Amino acid sequence: AIGNGLGGGHPEYPWWFGCDNSYALLGVLPLGEFQLVKDTLGLIARASEQENRNGRIIHELSTCGAVSNKGNTQETPHFIMCLWEAFLWTGDIGMLEAWYPLVKKGIDWLLGEQDRDGDLLPEGYGIIEIEGLNLELIDTAVYTCAALRAASQMAELFGEAGLSRQYMETHSRLKETINRVYWLEEEGLYADAV
């Protein structure tokens, strides 16, 4: 058995998805289905660690245990945000503690390997998986900004005050970067990619 968790893609491919679950679980939390949320997050986290070993969250896991996409860039910060929200609803410090090392590796992966030019905007496919759109996408940037805030709160909770400050400072710089780089004044809206 692969594990228990909320699936998607029914009826054609009833798989587990990093992205879809980071959305769907936020709706499951108010229903009080905390065990399903924790099981799903754990399943995605374990599969991601086994497949990637660097903090990157997978995109999809089949019912036979195969990972067909190692993870789009936005899925890592999206997972971090979802994990923090799940903690706020459940109060399960053990769950948060178990996956906190994955959170730290995920932030390092986003702002290291995926940010080759060092501008705080991770490169890579985001929610829209279109060939050639392997750019600095706004969804990834915004989720990374929010994930840094969540990671800062986690670090503070676990007594890592210096790391908490570092994450929060990076969050503030990234927020400014997003508003400067993506905002199109003439259009009155944000660009999808740069």
Side-chain angles (χ1 to χ4, degrees), residues 69-87:
N69 179 335
K70 290 179 174 286
N72 297 326
T73 309
Q74 101 290 348
E75 282 163 313
T76 299
H78 201 179
F79 176 88
I80 292 168
M81 294 164 45
C82 186
L83 178 65
W84 179 247
E85 191 69 20
F87 166 71

Side-chain angles (χ1 to χ4, degrees), residues 42-157:
L43 177 64
I44 296 295
R46 283 190 303 279
S48 298
E49 276 288 80
Q50 185 174 358
E51 181 69 25
N52 296 320
R53 303 194 187 285
N54 63 358
R56 181 181 185 178
I57 299 300
I58 61 164
H59 176 63
E60 53 195 335
L61 173 68
S62 75
T63 52
C64 67
V67 173
S68 56
N69 179 335
K70 290 179 174 286
N72 297 326
T73 309
Q74 101 290 348
E75 282 163 313
T76 299
H78 201 179
F79 176 88
I80 292 168
M81 294 164 45
C82 186
L83 178 65
W84 179 247
E85 191 69 20
F87 166 71
L88 294 178
W89 277 88
T90 66
D92 190 334
I93 191 77
M95 171 196 67
L96 193 64
E97 189 172 25
W99 300 119
Y100 178 56
L102 179 65
V103 167
K104 292 194 286 188
K105 287 196 300 187
I107 296 290
D108 289 345
W109 177 73
L110 284 164
L111 298 178
E113 185 179 334
Q114 292 306 116
D115 183 26
R116 293 183 186 102
D117 59 5
D119 63 356
L120 299 180
L121 302 172
E123 296 100 22
Y125 292 104
I127 292 173
I128 302 171
E129 301 170 76
I130 297 175
E131 187 68 30
L133 205 60
N134 195 15
L135 306 168
E136 294 175 339
L137 302 174
I138 193 165
D139 57 320
T140 300
V142 170
Y143 285 147
T144 299
C145 191
L148 283 161
R149 184 177 343 133
S152 173
Q153 292 169 306
M154 292 180 206
E156 184 177 341
L157 186 65

